[in-house]
Amino acid sequence: MPTIHSIGGGKGGVGKSFIAACLGASLADSGKSVALVDLDLGASNLHTVLGLPAPDGGLNRFLDKTESQLERVAVGTHVDRLFLISSNNCSMEIANLFHAQKIKLINAIRRLPFDYVLLDLGAGTHFNTLDFFLASPQGIFVCTPEPTSIENAFRFIKAVYLRRLKQIVKANNFDRRVKAMVSDKRPNRLKANDIFDLAARTDPVNAAKLKTAIGRLRFNLILNQFRRSANSALGDNITAVCNRHFYSPFEFLGRVDFDEGVIDAIYTRKPYIENFPDTPTATQLKQIGSRLLGQPLRPGDTDRDI
């Protein structure tokens, strides 16, 4: 089973695809086999960041059952041991993936025969995006130092966290009042603490198990497009706030400085980390890749419930 890292963040334009491509190249350069899965459904562009022409096939061939094995639609890149599974040729309706298709795809991703799988997600908090992020117990949030990006990242984190809590409650034998709370489809402002508080009052045994189960999630933060004017302690401050308010651990993986070479690499269709290997930004990306290599799954870190 591969080590899977989902890469999200809520806001578009923060560089999720760039981070995915560079981390994939860094992990591949370390000797690992890596698959990048473009799950920005309906707005696929990871192939462009990698400097590749639009692939002839990809997720579309797996979803329409032309190909039965997801790994068979992976294509090679300019980097040895780095492969891409693209969604570029999927129909425009792919963003509204059916539930059965989503489950089929998530299960296939978990079975991919690679050392590492990085999922490049789209913007927003659509249920499909949240469920793809939760395909692994460990995910990466990407944001920039701007207040709007940080605000969207927090909103995405809250949505992911609440989505997972609901999944755990629905899949287990909780008190009927807790199940009713998470099943209520009327618009409301339900928060994670609402679920914990009600469970603690009505179902204390399962409430304790719920905290343990949600604690198996592990989140990482990357600050992208960092400029000198930004607060150097921002990444640590964000993770400190998250660690105070959530039962899941958060870690700051590092910052990636703004570099005009990133735009140049995209225009010239050359992978940045391979084209500019000695820049401070490339060094930061490689250091983040090394930190990911030092984060093996702990015993019990699976997608199981309680």
Side-chain angles (χ1 to χ4, degrees), residues 57-286:
L59 285 181
N60 59 306
R61 294 178 56 206
F62 176 73
L63 293 173
D64 67 14
K65 301 181 181 179
T66 302
E67 183 55 73
S68 61
Q69 302 296 319
L70 183 59
E71 60 267 26
R72 292 179 182 171
V73 304
V75 298
T77 69
H78 300 297
V79 181
D80 291 340
R81 297 177 295 276
L82 179 64
F83 298 85
L84 170 66
I85 297 175
S86 175
S87 61
N88 181 69
N89 284 323
C90 293
S91 67
M92 293 304 294
E93 290 79 16
I94 190 65
N96 299 313
L97 201 64
F98 291 117
H99 179 75
Q101 291 177 306
K102 176 175 62 180
I103 298 303
K104 174 186 176 182
L105 181 53
I106 289 173
N107 289 335
I109 287 170
R110 289 171 174 164
R111 295 192 299 267
L112 283 171
F114 298 90
D115 296 322
Y116 282 82
V117 174
L118 304 183
L119 310 181
D120 177 27
L121 306 185
T125 56
H126 188 280
F127 284 162
N128 285 339
T129 302
L130 300 179
D131 289 343
F132 285 138
F133 191 89
L134 289 166
S136 167
Q138 49 195 3
I140 298 172
F141 298 103
V142 178
C143 69
T144 61
E146 287 74 30
T148 53
S149 178
I150 296 170
E151 181 181 353
N152 275 271
F154 273 118
R155 185 174 293 115
F156 186 76
I157 291 168
K158 291 177 181 178
V160 166
Y161 200 70
L162 184 59
R163 179 70 169 170
R164 185 62 183 134
L165 285 173
K166 288 184 174 183
Q167 290 174 345
I168 295 171
V169 170
K170 290 179 179 179
N172 292 276
N173 189 29
F174 276 79
D175 181 274
R176 60 179 177 77
R177 286 163 289 186
V178 181
K179 281 187 171 289
M181 173 181 279
V182 302
S183 298
D184 190 349
K185 298 186 183 301
R186 292 173 298 177
N188 56 47
R189 291 182 174 272
L190 180 64
K191 299 178 181 178
N193 283 341
D194 296 335
I195 299 174
F196 282 121
D197 291 344
L198 181 59
R201 294 196 307 270
T202 64
D203 198 351
V205 173
N206 276 331
K209 294 179 180 179
L210 181 61
K211 289 182 181 180
T212 299
I214 202 70
R216 294 192 187 107
L217 295 178
R218 179 170 55 200
F219 298 131
N220 294 298
L221 169 69
I222 295 175
L223 277 177
N224 191 31
Q225 301 174 24
F226 201 89
R227 300 174 187 264
R228 291 181 181 179
S229 58
N231 179 0
S232 61
L234 182 59
D236 291 322
N237 291 342
I238 292 174
T239 51
V241 169
C242 290
N243 281 319
R244 284 199 302 269
H245 289 87
F246 298 96
Y247 290 103
S248 304
F250 287 75
E251 180 179 344
F252 179 46
L253 280 182
R255 77 186 202 197
V256 178
D257 288 348
F258 176 82
D259 184 354
E260 292 285 358
V262 173
I263 303 299
D264 294 340
I266 293 174
Y267 277 129
T268 58
R269 301 179 72 86
K270 295 180 180 179
Y272 172 84
I273 202 168
E274 297 294 308
N275 203 37
F276 302 99
D278 300 319
T279 62
T281 297
T283 299
Q284 291 166 339
L285 288 161
K286 292 172 186 176

